[in-house]
Amino acid sequence: SQHQCTHLAAEVHVGCTPAQPLFEMSRMAAPLVLVCSLTPALAGMGALRGGSGVTWDYQGFHIGDWPARGFPLCAGKPAGPEYPHNEWQAPIDIPMIVTDRDNDSLILTTVDGGCERVDMESNEHTWEASWEDGNCSNFVATWHGRNYTLQQLHFHFESENMLGGHHQDMEIHLVHKSADGASLVIGAFLEHTEHVEQPHKTFWENGFLHQLFFHGFLGQPDSQQMLAPAWRLNPYSGLFSEGTEFYSFLGSLTTPPCTPNLEWVVLRQSIPIATKDVFTFEQYLKKAPQPDSYGMVDRPVQPLNGRPIKVGSIGKVVG
């Protein structure tokens, strides 16, 4: 269904133009370049992840000061027709039992084998991998009649969304934007395990995530670091498969300005990750400039306030 249009920070406007799925794509593999930079993300990306000229940090969670710092939407109060569903903020505690089904299916398409490079950037709160700044738009998610291009990926420790009252160890957010400015966030939980029996690839086996985690986020930033061929470093093929189920709901940015009316998709099944890898990332985040006093980079869950939550599935993973 089409949702009412809204604004995504000052730079981005959400329209309501439908799009067709992308099916026929070439699959030529190409080498991937990982480019690391200590400079903040660009303004457009900051709008998607909540960048702003006003200072904020995760310490503010303890005293709830984001609205007082100039981000009134973060209070989660009704904000009029310009910001519909502002009371549906994110992240949320997803109920263990969800019976409503989403009749649409998510389609994930990789064009021309993926991207030749991805930029690693510090946005002063965490590290993120940016395809937008790498000038690549070859990963496309089709959801509810609209095509969304993958912009960036980042991690949270502990998970931002909860499941049945419990946090998972970590959460990955793949942030997408459509040509008309609408946003889609695809989330996936990472949970520690020493005995992997799930159908998902493990974190270590997933070449794309492993390279980002250890050579990008945890390694010393290098410029023009050459990695394996792009077909092995595809975030879609590494994380998703046809038939995988997810929870879908409307939410918001989880960082200021907390803009509402974003599409959220969160995988039901966690990606297994070795305990030692969770510990490694935890130690890294505790040294980062913006975690809270517990070493976390996650916003507390927000009230459901009667929002619908449905179960959907991935229809196709193309390319």
Side-chain angles (χ1 to χ4, degrees):
S1 62
Q2 296 294 329
H3 301 295
Q4 186 174 357
C5 303
T6 185
H7 287 277
L8 190 64
E11 298 87 351
V12 184
H13 180 268
V14 176
C16 297
T17 303
Q20 298 298 319
L22 305 177
F23 291 112
E24 301 300 327
M25 306 296 174
S26 62
R27 304 185 180 183
M28 179 177 61
L32 181 82
V33 179
L34 181 72
V35 181
C36 296
S37 171
L38 288 171
T39 57
L42 297 180
M45 197 69 262
L48 280 177
R49 195 170 187 278
S52 174
V54 181
T55 301
W56 65 270
D57 57 48
Y58 284 104
Q59 297 279 355
F61 285 138
H62 296 299
I63 57 175
D65 71 347
W66 281 3
R69 291 195 183 190
F71 306 108
L73 295 177
C74 297
K77 306 296 183 182
E82 186 178 4
Y83 297 103
H85 305 308
N86 192 57
E87 69 277 14
W88 291 351
Q89 290 282 301
I92 63 171
D93 183 1
I94 302 169
M96 287 296 296
I97 299 177
V98 176
T99 57
D100 289 344
R101 300 289 306 190
D102 198 311
N103 294 326
D104 200 3
S105 59
L106 178 66
I107 299 171
L108 303 171
T109 303
T110 300
V111 183
D112 293 335
C115 296
E116 295 184 358
R117 74 176 238 176
V118 57
D119 288 7
M120 302 299 298
E121 300 176 331
S122 170
N123 64 12
E124 299 180 355
H125 302 284
T126 187
W127 280 88
E128 64 186 32
S130 173
W131 285 268
E132 181 186 46
D133 292 348
N135 295 317
C136 183
S137 56
N138 288 352
F139 297 112
V140 180
T142 303
W143 179 238
H144 287 168
R146 182 184 275 119
N147 290 330
Y148 298 86
T149 300
L150 178 61
Q151 304 290 293
Q152 53 103 333
L153 171 155
H154 60 269
F155 293 88
H156 290 274
F157 182 91
E158 54 194 347
S159 71
E160 288 208 297
N161 290 290
M162 299 174 69
L163 183 60
H166 298 283
H167 284 285
Q168 307 298 301
D169 289 328
M170 297 173 60
E171 188 172 351
I172 306 171
H173 288 164
L174 288 83
V175 182
H176 298 68
K177 186 174 71 174
S178 69
D180 58 3
S183 287
L184 165 71
V185 180
I186 302 178
F189 296 125
L190 283 80
E191 186 70 5
H192 74 278
T193 181
E194 300 305 333
H195 304 285
V196 178
E197 297 179 355
Q198 293 97 324
H200 272 305
K201 295 180 181 179
T202 67
F203 191 81
W204 187 268
E205 293 170 334
N206 187 307
F208 178 84
L209 288 179
H210 186 261
Q211 292 282 13
L212 286 182
F213 189 82
F214 288 100
H215 295 283
F217 290 100
L218 301 180
Q220 294 296 322
D222 299 321
S223 61
Q224 303 296 318
Q225 181 178 5
M226 296 299 295
L227 298 180
W231 64 269
R232 292 181 56 195
L233 301 170
N234 184 324
Y236 285 170
S237 63
L239 289 171
F240 310 116
S241 58
E242 293 182 13
T244 298
E245 291 192 329
F246 52 76
Y247 302 101
S248 65
F249 53 90
L250 282 182
S252 69
L253 296 175
T254 63
T255 55
C258 306
T259 309
N261 217 34
L262 275 63
E263 296 273 7
W264 276 82
V265 164
V266 178
L267 299 192
R268 297 185 73 176
Q269 185 176 32
S270 299
I271 298 172
I273 178 173
T275 301
K276 63 180 179 63
D277 294 339
V278 175
F279 177 78
T280 300
F281 199 70
E282 177 184 9
Q283 295 306 304
Y284 161 74
L285 285 178
K286 286 183 177 179
K287 297 176 182 177
Q290 285 294 340
D292 67 19
S293 57
Y294 298 101
M296 306 298 185
V297 285
D298 63 297
R299 184 189 190 189
V301 294
Q302 304 296 301
L304 293 179
N305 287 330
R307 84 185 74 190
I309 302 173
K310 298 182 178 182
V311 173
S313 62
I314 297 176
K316 289 181 180 292
V317 180
V318 183

